[in-house]
Amino acid sequence: MNGSAGRRRIAAFGLRTRLVLAFLLVAVVSAGTTAALTFREARNAVLETAQDTAVASFREQVQQLGFSLPVEGGPSLQSVLRDIAGRGKPHPWVVFAEYGSMRVSSGTSPASTVITPELRRAAHRQPNGSFERVVKDGVPYLTIGMPAVFKIGVNGVLPSGLVLFAVMRMSDEQANVEALLTAARDGALPGLAIALVPALLSARSVLRPVRELRKAAGNMGSGRLDTRIQVRGSDELADLARTFNESAAELEHSVHELRQAEARARRFASDVSHELRTPLAGMLAVTELLDEDAGRLDPDTARAVRLISTETVKLAVLVEDLMEISRFDARAAELNTDDVDAAETIRKTLESRHWTDDRIRTDLPDGIRVRLDPRRFDIVVANLVGNALRHGGAPVTVRLRTQVRTDGGHMLVTEVEDSGPGIRDDVLPHIFDRFYKADAARTRSAGSGLGLAITQENVRLHGGTVRAANTPGGGALFTVEMPLYPRGTAR
């Protein structure tokens, strides 16, 4: 379930999705940037137009204002302020006048809460006036401060102390700005929807050769080395397809040569083993006769006869092992299974090889029924026990038990443990290799060098596994796990 969930996550965030998202992200950034810049320029244009019109109109009204000092408040000044407010552009103003402590306005309130102290100070300092945009209770205002001055000479002015302020609501400009924002947003969304079409088309054009490459790689992984990809166009993906085809052709050629060489090597080993079998059978018969008469020969001759007999037996074992390996390589090995008692089968193996002395210890519970090939299981046990006696140390313990796998299957577990120094760490990965020797200087050994390899093949043929390890006490431990009833067999 975890694997299928992982594949669904990969599919959900696969290359196609990422390409479309990347394309849309670029479109979003582009559309957003364009809309933001357009909105900013339009907003500034709307606000600046209203602002410039209001400031210029108010400055003109104040410059045309006639007054005398000291300024007197009352209905006459309020009437003047209302007249100025009525001519306000682009929207009506509310005009306030401040002279010392006097406060008069064209509206109902003599003072304004919108005018800030900063604007008052700026209006007193600058003869041409000052303005400020203020938001009060969510409503935008344009406030303008303009001092009334007397002209002296050509360019000189003299402050009169009277300062007029105009306050203009900018609700219409705010509505226009909001309309611009809505238009920019509504224009960007259809653009993104339209951008999805070329994004899908682009992702499809990019992913088509990628999918073909994945399919071709899967076909090659399953053994179809003649798989090729159709090359389209002249872009980087086409170069990738051509490179894949060239690599596939080279791989197919190399694998074909390797298979031919492997087949020739297997055939050679099989033929040589088969041709040696007949003369070896005659040699074994002769050496048996010579062994019987060796006691009547002189010592040197007897020693030579026994040496020849021993080496002939080793050669016969090697030939038999080579023929067995050849059958595994040719996939000609078959199982002849039978329902047997596992403990009784192991005891027969030990008794037939006279391993019943104190060198062997057993823990073989009766009643474990298993379906296997007795001959091949005999080879497995004999090879492991013989290897333990030869290269490990006595006593050798043979244990038998069953266990249940995580998927509910029942396994037969056979363990062979010796009391020797164990297996070196650099040897463990190669312990089941053919003709592997732990000691490179040891060119001669009692076995053929194929015993553990044959053991592994026999275990695999049963659908099981064999592994080697070292025990905490220092000895080597070989563990064979085989299903009690292989798939396809009746219980």
Side-chain angles (χ1 to χ4, degrees):
M1 295 182 63
N2 291 336
S4 61
R7 285 192 292 272
R8 285 196 295 271
R9 285 195 296 270
I10 292 174
F13 297 97
L15 186 58
R16 178 188 181 90
T17 304
R18 284 181 285 173
L19 283 174
V20 172
L21 291 178
F23 198 98
L24 290 180
L25 179 60
V26 173
V28 167
V29 172
S30 301
T33 303
T34 303
L37 293 176
T38 303
F39 168 73
R40 188 186 68 179
E41 295 300 324
R43 173 179 176 275
N44 291 339
V46 170
L47 295 178
E48 288 177 1
T49 298
Q51 171 184 295
D52 293 344
T53 300
V55 171
S57 176
F58 188 58
R59 182 181 292 114
E60 181 181 359
Q61 296 292 331
V62 173
Q63 289 177 352
Q64 293 176 359
L65 179 65
F67 64 93
S68 59
L69 295 178
V71 177
E72 296 181 358
S76 60
L77 180 58
Q78 189 175 39
S79 175
V80 172
L81 297 180
R82 287 176 178 172
D83 182 61
I84 295 175
R87 293 195 294 268
K89 297 178 182 180
H91 308 299
W93 304 328
V94 177
V95 181
F96 297 87
E98 295 183 0
Y99 182 77
S101 59
M102 183 184 69
R103 301 290 185 269
V104 181
S105 74
S106 63
T108 58
S109 176
S112 173
T113 59
V114 179
I115 301 173
T116 64
E118 291 79 5
L119 180 63
R120 286 189 174 90
R121 288 192 293 269
H124 283 282
R125 288 196 308 266
Q126 299 179 9
N128 292 326
S130 182
F131 65 89
E132 185 179 26
R133 286 200 294 266
V134 180
V135 177
K136 181 73 172 180
D137 298 330
V139 180
Y141 295 92
L142 174 65
T143 56
I144 308 170
M146 196 71 61
V149 297
F150 297 107
K151 290 187 177 180
I152 301 175
V154 180
N155 297 319
V157 293
L158 180 66
S160 64
L162 175 64
V163 180
L164 301 181
F165 295 93
V167 177
M168 182 183 73
R169 291 173 65 98
M170 301 188 73
S171 301
D172 293 345
E173 285 74 15
Q174 183 182 27
N176 292 336
V177 169
E178 291 176 353
L180 287 173
L181 180 60
T182 302
R185 182 191 62 204
D186 294 343
L189 292 178
L192 293 179
I194 295 173
L196 183 61
V197 176
L200 293 173
L201 294 177
S202 300
R204 181 181 179 186
S205 64
V206 171
L207 290 178
R208 183 189 297 113
V210 175
R211 285 194 295 267
E212 293 178 355
L213 180 62
R214 181 185 62 185
K215 182 179 179 181
N219 290 338
M220 291 191 66
S222 61
R224 296 174 55 185
L225 299 181
D226 58 343
T227 303
R228 300 293 184 271
I229 300 176
Q230 183 179 357
V231 179
R232 300 184 181 90
S234 58
D235 55 7
E236 290 82 356
L237 292 174
D239 292 339
L240 177 61
R242 277 190 289 269
T243 302
F244 177 86
N245 290 339
E246 293 170 359
S247 301
E250 290 292 334
L251 179 61
E252 183 182 14
H253 178 69
S254 300
V255 170
H256 180 68
E257 289 186 343
L258 287 173
R259 286 175 177 173
Q260 286 185 330
E262 184 179 7
R264 287 193 297 268
R266 290 175 179 174
R267 189 164 52 251
F268 173 78
S270 178
D271 293 344
V272 169
S273 301
H274 183 74
E275 292 299 327
L276 288 175
R277 203 173 189 183
T278 300
L280 275 173
M283 292 174 63
L284 286 172
V286 172
T287 55
E288 287 179 2
L289 294 176
L290 291 176
D291 283 340
E292 293 177 358
D293 296 334
R296 296 191 295 270
L297 300 176
D298 62 88
D300 292 338
T301 304
R303 191 161 43 251
V305 168
R306 292 190 178 95
L307 178 61
I308 292 173
S309 178
T310 302
E311 296 301 323
T312 302
V313 171
K314 289 182 181 179
L315 183 58
V317 172
L318 175 59
V319 169
E320 289 297 330
D321 287 348
L322 283 174
M323 292 189 67
E324 185 72 8
I325 283 291
S326 298
R327 282 190 287 270
F328 283 117
D329 290 342
R331 292 178 173 83
E334 296 179 352
L335 285 176
N336 297 312
T337 60
D338 193 9
D339 195 355
V340 299
D341 185 291
E344 183 63 27
T345 303
I346 294 177
R347 290 192 190 100
K348 289 180 180 179
T349 298
L350 299 178
E351 290 173 359
S352 64
R353 289 161 178 82
H354 307 290
W355 292 335
T356 56
D357 52 18
D358 57 359
R359 295 181 302 165
I360 305 297
R361 297 175 181 174
T362 59
D363 181 8
L364 308 174
D366 293 321
I368 299 177
R369 306 298 297 181
V370 60
R371 191 163 192 86
L372 47 74
D373 187 327
R375 184 185 69 86
R376 296 189 181 278
F377 188 63
D378 172 80
I379 293 174
V380 169
V381 176
N383 283 346
L384 292 179
V385 175
N387 184 77
L389 291 172
R390 250 188 331 266
H391 303 294
V396 174
T397 303
V398 182
R399 286 185 291 267
L400 189 67
R401 58 184 172 88
T402 60
Q403 70 178 21
V404 181
R405 294 183 306 195
T406 55
D407 60 358
H410 290 76
M411 303 294 291
L412 175 71
V413 181
T414 307
E415 295 178 338
V416 177
E417 179 182 351
D418 63 49
S419 302
I423 306 171
R424 297 203 311 268
D425 292 339
D426 60 324
V427 175
L428 273 175
H430 310 284
I431 197 68
F432 295 102
D433 293 353
R434 300 176 185 181
F435 298 109
Y436 181 78
K437 296 183 184 295
D439 187 359
R442 183 172 54 89
T443 58
R444 301 285 295 170
S445 64
S448 65
L450 295 172
L452 291 180
I454 292 175
T455 297
Q456 186 179 53
E457 294 295 342
N458 278 307
V459 173
R460 286 177 178 172
L461 198 61
H462 282 85
T465 59
V466 57
R467 60 181 182 273
N470 290 316
T471 63
L477 173 64
F478 287 83
T479 304
V480 177
E481 295 180 357
M482 296 181 353
L484 287 179
Y485 289 87
R487 293 182 180 177
T489 61
R491 300 197 176 193

